[in-house]
Amino acid sequence: MGALIATWLMAENGAKKAIDLLNAGKPSHKALIELIKDIEDDVHYKSVGYGGLPNREGVVELDSAFMDGDDLSYGGVGALKNIKNPIEVAYLLSKEKANNFLVGQGAYEYALDKGFKPCDLLSAASKKIYEDEMSKLDDLKAYDGHDTVGCIVVDDKGKMCAGTSTSGLFLKHAGRLGDSALIGSGLYVDSAIGGASATGMGEDIMKGCLSYEVVMLMRTMSPSEACRVAVSNFSKKLEKLYGQARDISIVAMNNKGQWGAYSNIDTFSFVAAGYGEEPKVYLFKKGKDDHPFYTLATKDDIARLQALQR
Ligand code: GLY
């Protein structure tokens, strides 16, 4: 048995596989990697793994990280080209005594050394979108209805882990890194407390180290309250400083398997399963005084979200 939470509807299928593994007694990291690989492998998802949208030069560059909540070990890859499952590379890096965060060519060579096979990550569909959009290059912004997969898992021994994977902003500068692979920003987990993971505009999320902030708040607050306080306060600060806060959404789970989420956008979906539960797709909603509530996604919601994420 175990529990998990992951960003966006796209995590639904992988979450089912992950819960099956947890129910079969597998450890949290196996479940998390299964969930994230399910998305990385699916050519239809344009913001993660194979089929992700490319940078300005037409090259897919992937960012990913893994963190172990028991010993706080962490591994990350940034701007990794031609490797389909960066979460597995990040996991291996978390086991190293040094060189835990590798980018670009160094990350690629590490993956090859570990036996990963190179592959072309740019699908025909993503190439076509790139060619169409290059002609009208606009402000860079987070994807609508999908983005980074960020996930927190706790297993029946109370061991927690967190992971992320993304192709980053569409048409980003070559070599650009966002929050997703950065410990403390895109993810953080401590099995003594809980874990959190972020999705949205990396340039804003990084300014607040928001995943670390949420985990620290969970020492005295529920996951839902910790997410609300962190996202809401930080969005207000950004508004004061810059006149706007760009997209920020966070999911979190404590070491009892209780979960929460918060967002400064209207359409934020996520998948969650408490201990002994099947994963379900939820929508975040803002209620009175900005307090969050979560509704189960209806068939119509899912159809609308699917249209956005594919
Ligand atoms: N949150 C994904 C990115 O900014 O790259």
Side-chain angles (χ1 to χ4, degrees):
M1 282 232 298
L4 60 79
I5 187 163
T7 54
W8 306 112
L9 168 68
M10 64 188 172
E12 187 183 18
N13 194 46
K16 287 181 186 154
K17 295 181 182 176
I19 285 289
D20 285 348
L21 289 177
L22 291 169
N23 288 343
K26 300 286 183 215
S28 54
H29 73 274
K30 293 244 185 234
L32 179 134
I33 290 170
E34 183 78 13
L35 185 153
I36 292 183
K37 272 181 69 177
D38 181 80
I39 305 169
E40 288 177 343
D41 287 343
D42 192 327
V43 68
H44 295 107
Y45 298 126
K46 304 280 187 306
S47 54
V48 177
Y50 174 53
L53 288 170
N55 68 16
R56 212 165 283 195
E57 292 168 10
V59 178
V60 182
E61 291 186 333
L62 303 179
D63 306 334
S64 176
F66 175 87
M67 185 168 180
D68 181 315
D70 277 9
D71 61 10
L72 307 184
S73 59
Y74 152 83
V77 288
L80 175 63
K81 296 176 200 165
N82 297 319
I83 299 291
K84 198 178 182 181
N85 295 119
I87 187 62
E88 291 188 307
V89 185
Y91 174 73
L92 291 179
L93 282 166
S94 76
K95 299 289 162 207
E96 303 285 353
K97 289 202 171 69
N99 302 308
N100 299 110
F101 189 11
L102 296 179
V103 299
Q105 187 64 15
Y108 178 65
E109 283 165 12
Y110 176 86
L112 293 186
D113 277 354
K114 293 290 175 186
F116 288 80
K117 299 275 171 274
C119 86
D120 186 0
L121 298 172
L122 189 64
S123 65
S126 291
K127 186 163 186 261
K128 164 111 186 48
I129 295 172
Y130 166 74
E131 283 164 359
D132 291 350
E133 291 297 315
M134 262 312 270
S135 53
K136 43 181 179 179
L137 196 59
D138 205 349
D139 262 2
L140 294 184
K141 52 185 186 326
Y143 294 84
D144 200 9
H146 61 122
D147 183 66
T148 304
V149 54
C151 177
I152 319 296
V153 181
V154 57
D155 63 26
D156 57 2
K157 297 190 174 56
K159 185 181 170 80
M160 299 194 79
C161 63
T164 57
S165 187
T166 185
S167 51
L169 296 182
F170 179 32
L171 300 179
K172 64 190 176 184
H173 195 288
R176 174 263 184 197
L177 296 178
D179 62 301
S180 301
L182 271 188
I183 186 169
S185 286
L187 76 171
Y188 198 80
V189 62
D190 179 339
S191 299
I193 310 168
S197 184
T199 173
M201 191 68 185
E203 283 72 1
D204 277 0
I205 295 165
M206 288 191 287
K207 292 183 180 93
C209 299
L210 285 178
S211 292
Y212 183 75
E213 169 81 351
V214 168
V215 173
M216 292 303 114
L217 289 171
M218 278 198 291
R219 288 187 289 197
T220 55
M221 290 176 196
S222 68
S224 160
E225 188 60 0
C227 290
R228 182 189 72 79
V229 169
V231 175
S232 173
N233 288 350
F234 197 64
S235 296
K236 283 181 194 137
K237 188 171 182 109
L238 290 171
E239 277 158 25
K240 256 197 203 146
L241 290 169
Y242 296 97
Q244 64 160 340
R246 292 172 290 184
D247 297 15
I248 299 176
S249 306
I250 297 251
V251 293
M253 176 169 270
N254 66 19
N255 58 9
K256 297 180 196 69
Q258 297 162 330
W259 53 261
Y262 204 81
S263 181
N264 66 3
I265 60 168
D266 291 333
T267 312
F268 179 52
S269 62
F270 60 94
V271 178
Y275 273 112
E277 291 175 4
E278 287 300 307
K280 295 184 195 79
V281 180
Y282 294 89
L283 295 180
F284 159 82
K285 301 260 163 67
K286 224 183 267 182
K288 209 168 160 271
D289 299 332
D290 284 354
H291 280 271
F293 65 97
Y294 313 114
T295 58
L296 275 178
T298 62
K299 275 190 184 150
D300 283 354
D301 293 328
I302 290 186
R304 185 171 46 84
L305 293 166
Q306 273 169 345
L308 286 174
Q309 73 179 10
R310 296 245 145 176

